[in-house]
Amino acid sequence: MAVNEHPRRTPLIAGNWKMNLDHLQAIAFVQKLAWNLKDAKHDVAAVEVAVFPPFTDLRSVQTLVSADKLPIVFGGQDVSAQDSGAYTGEISGAFLAQLECKYVLIGHSERRTLHAETDEIVSAKVTAALKHNLVPIICVGESAADLELHGPSAVPVAQLRAALAGVTNAADFVVAYEPVWAIGSGKAATPEQAEQVAAQLRLVLTETLGQDVADKTRILYGGSVKGSNIAGFMREPNVDGALVGGASLDIDEFSSIVRFQQHVGL
Ligand code: PEP
């Protein structure tokens, strides 16, 4: 099969803005992105486009997307494991769902390292997201030290198994393989490295949730993805899209990533 033509998996290009762009900048960004996509006659059925703004931008992005019926979906960068109550600073999945978020990032390496999120916390957040009808994007990946000690797959495989502890085969979720050493470093994994780990992650899905779930679940690659390297990843049979950090803040670069099919001559 050529470039990710799996009939049951629509590629997803997701932009994680991290703590960048306030709500006014977010409005301008999403308007321009939508314009770029329209100009390029982007086929929304062929590649799904998602942005992950800071929480304080979400209401503005929702209002714009819904009023102008833009072909862009959006989500939160994190979610609380709790529904409501005395959890200062936390954001409930119920609130995200009310703002029409489709997705939520869970277990990003910056949450795992800077906020000490354990596999147990990640699993609880995945359960909370599903409870509120959000599609979790479960982020997994090995550090440079893990890579040296255990090879590329061991840590992401263990993280995925743990994250799926409370998940049934009825759940809709996405997996993002993000080698920590590739995030923000400018040094992406090779497409072969990404494929090797993505294939192992798909095996985990088969073993834990069955073949149907493994066939339909999208596995993204993330780590220094740019317009110039996306096509290589998308040629791999087990890579169904990308989670993009730095390059998602540059409208032209992000638009170029979304339009990866043109880079590969489809
Ligand atoms: C990320 O933050 O998830 C990420 C992949 O960042 P970058 O694309 O900048 O490496």
Side-chain angles (χ1 to χ4, degrees):
M1 214 180 304
V3 193
N4 230 306
E5 288 176 288
H6 196 291
R8 296 172 65 187
R9 300 198 295 264
T10 303
L12 169 62
I13 302 295
N16 173 14
W17 294 358
K18 312 192 187 196
M19 197 171 73
N20 295 291
L21 306 185
D22 63 29
H23 71 290
L24 297 176
Q25 293 169 314
I27 292 169
F29 188 102
V30 170
Q31 271 170 333
K32 176 88 196 309
L33 177 62
W35 174 254
N36 269 8
L37 298 181
K38 190 173 174 204
D39 202 33
K41 299 190 172 38
H42 173 68
D43 177 1
V44 283
V47 180
E48 187 178 25
V49 183
V51 293
F52 293 81
F55 289 127
T56 49
D57 298 3
L58 284 172
R59 174 66 174 146
S60 305
V61 170
Q62 178 216 9
T63 304
L64 173 65
V65 165
S66 130
D68 292 358
K69 298 193 174 39
L70 302 182
I72 294 169
V73 295
F74 51 91
Q77 296 177 12
D78 184 32
V79 66
S80 175
Q82 316 296 332
D83 288 345
S84 64
Y87 301 101
T88 302
E90 295 278 285
I91 302 289
S92 167
F95 305 162
L96 295 179
Q98 263 189 302
L99 286 177
E100 297 174 340
C101 286
K102 176 172 181 184
Y103 293 105
V104 63
L105 299 179
I106 298 182
H108 189 279
S109 72
E110 287 151 20
R111 300 292 317 172
R112 291 182 190 261
T113 54
L114 302 175
H115 300 271
E117 285 194 6
T118 60
D119 283 344
E120 290 69 30
I121 294 173
V122 169
S123 165
K125 289 186 173 191
V126 169
T127 305
L130 292 170
K131 177 176 173 189
H132 294 292
N133 295 320
L134 299 164
V135 178
I137 299 187
I138 303 169
C139 303
V140 298
E142 81 289 359
S143 66
D146 295 331
L147 180 65
E148 197 154 317
L149 274 175
H150 311 290
S153 308
V155 167
V157 159
Q159 288 175 337
L160 181 58
R161 283 189 193 284
L164 294 177
V167 173
T168 70
N169 61 5
D172 188 9
F173 63 93
V174 175
V175 179
Y177 167 53
E178 298 206 296
V180 182
W181 47 268
I183 296 179
S185 66
K187 190 178 175 298
T190 64
E192 295 74 23
Q193 285 173 314
E195 169 62 18
Q196 188 194 341
V197 178
Q200 292 300 314
L201 296 173
R202 204 172 297 285
L203 270 182
V204 171
L205 298 179
T206 310
E207 283 166 22
T208 55
L209 295 169
Q211 194 62 50
D212 280 357
V213 173
D215 283 347
K216 73 171 191 209
T217 299
R218 290 171 295 178
I219 300 180
L220 315 182
Y221 166 76
S224 297
V225 170
K226 297 179 285 208
S228 57
N229 63 17
I230 182 67
F233 294 110
M234 296 309 295
R235 280 193 193 97
E236 298 296 341
N238 282 294
V239 177
D240 307 306
L243 181 53
V244 184
S248 76
L249 296 168
D250 179 320
I251 297 171
D252 292 333
E253 189 72 21
F254 191 58
S255 306
S256 161
I257 295 170
V258 169
R259 295 168 55 211
F260 71 87
Q261 286 168 318
Q262 301 186 356
H263 311 215
V264 292
L266 275 185

